[in-house]
Amino acid sequence: NLYDKVEEGWLLDNPSLIRVSRILYGRTFIGFVDEVGREVIPCKYVRQNKYYFQEGLLEVVNEYEKIGFVNKEGIEIIKCQYDKVSEICDNLICVRKEHKWGLISTNGREIIPPQYFFLGHMGQGRLIAQNENYKVGALDYKGNVIIPFIYYQLGRVTTDNRIEYSKGEGGEHGFLDIDGNVIGHLPI
């Protein structure tokens, strides 16, 4: 009788955890219990954004619509403080806080403070970033600029380690290597 609703099958990679919810002050809060009813993830979140754990972490949202991560034991590893988050890649998460993007590790350590208009995973240890002038470049996982902020658009790293680039509508475009060297132009 502690919960208003009990539902199975919410976590694809951990079906033994059962999602429970209770309504408090007109708002529904969710958590997870094990098969014997022991609360594993506290019933204090308004939702989980994924149906699986990534690198042992579940993305959760608090009553203030801030995103964080809990582990399989229900410990909040990353405090609910972000507006948006990326998928976890190489144990790193791109996070948006107060309209700026940065990078944290899966243990919550800040690697790149929120300072970019956009930040996302490109592959091969690279992050695509957009600065305040809306120019795009690439960073390594320490925040060092690898490809300067001179591009209109950069693509993801391909299987042959190329990055398609564009310098603007109708302008120069072609391919870079992962260090930012031009390796080919495409016809305009």
Side-chain angles (χ1 to χ4, degrees), residues 37 48 94 107 119 126 148 175:
Q48 93 267 1
C94 297
N107 65 10
L119 191 67
R126 301 291 183 255
F175 291 97

Side-chain angles (χ1 to χ4, degrees), residues 22-98:
R22 68 171 69 114
I23 299 172
L24 295 169
Y25 308 111
R27 192 131 194 217
T28 302
F29 292 88
I30 63 116
F32 289 87
V33 299
D34 62 15
E35 308 89 2
V36 296
R38 181 182 63 87
E39 194 170 74
V40 177
I41 297 176
C43 197
K44 67 178 192 175
Y45 302 102
V46 294
R47 69 180 179 277
Q48 93 267 1
N49 282 344
K50 302 274 190 275
Y51 297 99
Y52 52 89
F53 285 86
Q54 298 179 78
E55 306 292 330
L57 298 175
L58 181 67
E59 187 178 320
V60 293
V61 180
N62 72 8
E63 64 185 301
Y64 305 107
E65 294 296 321
K66 298 296 181 184
I67 303 167
F69 292 85
V70 296
N71 67 12
K72 293 181 180 185
E73 290 77 43
I75 298 167
E76 198 169 271
I77 301 299
I78 299 171
K79 181 182 170 195
C80 292
Q81 60 181 314
Y82 299 105
D83 302 313
K84 288 190 176 189
V85 299
S86 71
E87 293 286 323
I88 297 174
C89 181
D90 295 330
N91 293 310
L92 299 171
I93 310 166
C94 297
V95 294
R96 190 179 85 178
K97 185 176 184 179
E98 299 174 10

Side-chain angles (χ1 to χ4, degrees), residues 164-166 168-175 184-188:
E164 189 172 354
Y165 76 89
S166 168
E169 296 279 334
E172 179 185 323
H173 62 285
F175 291 97
H185 294 283
L186 294 171
I188 296 178

Side-chain angles (χ1 to χ4, degrees), residues 122 138 147-148 150-151 153-155 157-158 160-167 172-185:
M122 290 178 75
I147 299 174
I150 59 172
Y151 296 97
Q153 189 174 38
L154 289 175
V157 178
T158 63
D160 58 351
N161 288 328
R162 297 186 314 161
I163 301 167
E164 189 172 354
Y165 76 89
S166 168
K167 284 198 172 177
E172 179 185 323
H173 62 285
F175 291 97
L176 307 171
D177 65 18
I178 62 171
D179 295 319
N181 301 305
V182 176
I183 55 174
H185 294 283

